[in-house]
Amino acid sequence: MPRLVIEGGRCLRGTIGVSGAKNAALPILAACILNAGVCRIERVPRLRDVEVMQDLLVHLGASVVRDGQSMVVDTRGVESWEVPEELMRRMRASNLALGPLLGRFGRARMAYPGGCNIGARPMDLHLKGLQAMGARITERAGYITAEAHRLTGADIHLDLPSVGATENLMMAAVLAWGTTVIRNAAREPEIVDLQNFLNRLGARIRGAGTSVVKIEGVSGLSDATHAVIPDRIEAGTHLVAAAITGGDLTVTGCIPEHLEAVLAKLREAGMEVAVYDDAVRVWAPRKLRAVDLKTMPYPGFPTDMQAPFMALLTLAEGTSVVTETVFENRYKHVPELRRMGADIKLEGQTAIVRGVPRLSGACVEASDLRAGAALVLAGLAAENTTVVENVHFIDRGYEYLEEKYNACGARIKRLTD
Ligand code: UD1
């Protein structure tokens, strides 16, 4: 298992380019199933989760060829509508194949998903929405089977704005008969990107980015090329890296509008922030102040930034209160940060973080993707050496992380036993 060895205490200065968004690339690659044709997807990050989606497409019968940052996906040969347990276990987002398989073939079968260890993460909203569109769902021995002769448009109200359910239902509705309306839809930028891609294929979707998404079913799609949006969580993580090391980083190739909640908290914590058309510069002239934050669906503060931001708050002056409202069980980084000297108390879904003057290097374990990123950030700021184990979690969502940070003055080595 590879691990990262971080020599802490070095300021990060310079420019970091952002990769394509993992959470946009995954549904877009899954959506290729809907079009029995060839799509070219550009700015696809090299990540383990993307490899799993590639394996999934190939398993179903697609041909996927990587060409630099692009992927050419030919789904003409897809014949299978079953996703094996092994792929579902490797990544929760494999469940994004459900909507497109059902839309194209009228049936899909898959095991319940695995993935990051951050709570129960059920699929009830996906399944209820598909049932409303006429799918028959059977659940047996850990497998879900969905069948429909042809899905029919429906008016669906989501109990909560689930990103994955919104995406799966949008994809299922593209080839359905009639119009589907998804209310209380998630509003994340990745959903807008999925809409833009699907519309390029010939789908008729509007409203993504608002809480009502309308999909008029069409009878067929055609080939298209699409570039994935930049990764706002990756960008946010780099901005925190500048803040936590007292450095000065310009993050380029991002969409600053997608980062507003994170920028607001960085400013509140005392960081200087300059926003350009497609870049953000953050520098740390002052001592950081404690801030309170609550995770919320977009445009609120992203749950995926909770752990990285908490790493920063462990060193801010005063007491911060962090409340996680999106996922239960998303505080696995807390005991690890404590091992580095952080003062954090957990009370249910709330973490009370009392700023300490310094963190010290320790051997810590990543338990999921964003918890892992938080430990890398803490390691950058800590005295002495930090070893982060279970780096495979971090590789799920950050492309060239240590190379990017080392180019800005960090000292991170990857060791493989
Ligand atoms: C996506 C992101 C993930 C991010 C999350 C929230 C991808 C590949 N992953 O995950 O990085 O942390 O959005 O921004 O895009 N829920 C239910 N029933 C359902 C579905 C969800 O109760 O059927 C609950 C979940 O348990 C969770 C909440 O809804 O508490 C939000 O989950 P959801 O938005 O669906 O997250 P994902 O799509 O899995």
Side-chain angles (χ1 to χ4, degrees):
M1 280 288 188
R3 62 185 62 151
L4 294 179
V5 179
I6 306 167
E7 296 299 331
R10 301 168 66 85
C11 271
L12 262 58
R13 290 181 195 286
T15 300
I16 301 186
V18 174
S19 304
K22 167 179 90 75
N23 288 352
L26 294 175
I28 286 171
L29 289 170
C32 292
I33 295 169
L34 281 168
N35 171 38
V38 184
C39 294
R40 185 179 178 88
I41 314 299
E42 292 169 351
R43 215 194 285 130
V44 182
R46 286 182 189 276
L47 300 171
R48 278 172 52 105
D49 277 8
V50 169
E51 280 166 24
V52 178
M53 187 55 82
Q54 178 171 355
D55 291 350
L56 188 156
L57 292 169
V58 168
H59 169 87
L60 294 173
S63 127
V64 184
V65 179
R66 199 182 247 283
D67 170 15
Q69 285 297 302
S70 303
M71 267 189 178
V72 179
V73 184
D74 181 346
T75 53
R76 283 173 297 187
V78 171
E79 279 178 348
S80 169
W81 41 271
E82 183 163 339
V83 183
E85 193 179 348
E86 182 256 338
L87 287 165
M88 297 302 295
R89 226 184 298 119
R90 278 167 69 193
M91 180 177 73
R92 175 179 166 82
S94 303
N95 70 356
L96 292 170
L98 182 60
L101 283 174
L102 190 58
R104 176 161 161 195
F105 297 108
R107 51 184 154 174
R109 185 166 188 269
M110 56 178 54
Y112 268 105
C116 271
N117 186 13
I118 52 172
R121 300 181 93 178
M123 281 189 63
D124 54 320
L125 303 177
H126 304 233
L127 302 180
K128 262 164 73 179
L130 293 174
Q131 271 169 327
M133 295 171 73
R136 285 176 308 283
I137 309 279
T138 41
E139 297 173 61
R140 205 169 299 131
Y143 271 83
I144 305 162
T145 306
E147 285 168 292
H149 177 59
R150 186 172 176 195
L151 293 167
T152 314
D155 201 307
I156 299 165
H157 190 285
L158 295 180
D159 293 341
L160 52 92
S162 154
V163 174
T166 304
E167 292 168 342
N168 243 334
L169 296 173
M170 274 168 73
M171 293 188 281
V174 163
L175 296 173
W177 190 83
T179 300
T180 300
V181 182
I182 307 170
R183 300 181 194 279
N184 197 26
R187 296 159 62 189
E188 270 66 3
E190 293 74 21
I191 291 168
V192 180
D193 206 27
L194 178 63
Q195 167 179 284
N196 291 341
F197 170 61
L198 289 168
N199 284 348
R200 284 217 166 109
L201 295 177
R204 299 182 67 178
I205 311 178
R206 58 190 198 280
T210 75
S211 55
V212 182
V213 181
K214 284 195 182 145
I215 307 108
E216 271 175 65
V218 295
S219 53
L221 299 170
S222 48
D223 300 351
T225 296
H226 179 80
V228 171
I229 54 168
D231 196 312
R232 65 196 165 95
I233 305 300
E234 187 206 333
T237 304
H238 302 332
L239 297 176
V240 173
I244 201 168
T245 62
D248 182 345
L249 286 179
T250 302
V251 174
T252 57
C254 62
I255 301 177
E257 196 191 321
H258 294 170
L259 289 161
E260 270 168 13
V262 173
L263 295 179
K265 287 294 160 189
L266 283 171
R267 285 196 188 96
E268 207 180 314
M271 296 294 294
E272 299 288 344
V273 177
V275 174
Y276 308 98
D277 283 350
D278 64 351
V280 177
R281 179 181 163 213
V282 157
W283 68 104
R286 286 183 247 136
K287 180 84 189 127
L288 289 164
R289 291 188 294 270
V291 297
D292 295 344
L293 64 89
K294 199 182 251 193
T295 64
M296 301 287 256
Y298 190 84
F301 190 92
T303 172
D304 286 346
M305 282 301 299
Q306 180 258 109
F309 214 92
M310 192 187 292
L312 175 66
L313 296 178
T314 64
L315 290 168
E317 215 165 59
T319 300
S320 306
V321 179
V322 174
T323 311
E324 173 60 60
T325 75
V326 179
F327 289 109
E328 78 280 21
N329 199 15
R330 207 173 191 181
Y331 282 134
K332 295 237 167 119
H333 45 291
V334 168
E336 303 304 297
L337 289 172
R338 279 196 199 121
R339 289 159 67 88
M340 300 177 73
D343 180 351
I344 309 170
K345 206 166 108 198
L346 284 181
E347 283 176 9
Q349 294 302 93
T350 302
I352 297 154
V353 187
R354 289 199 180 79
V356 293
R358 65 194 68 82
L359 295 175
S360 38
C363 189
V364 287
E365 251 181 57
S367 55
D368 65 62
L369 165 57
R370 307 302 171 186
L375 299 177
V376 171
L377 295 173
L380 289 172
E383 291 175 344
N384 304 319
T385 306
T386 296
V387 179
V388 182
E389 306 270 7
N390 286 343
V391 175
H392 63 281
F393 281 117
I394 300 171
D395 295 339
R396 297 178 71 136
Y398 292 93
E399 187 183 42
Y400 306 126
L401 189 67
E402 64 259 36
E403 287 87 345
K404 287 182 181 182
Y405 286 171
N406 286 344
C408 293
R411 249 191 223 156
I412 309 179
K413 258 195 258 160
R414 178 177 288 248
L415 294 187
T416 310
D417 287 340

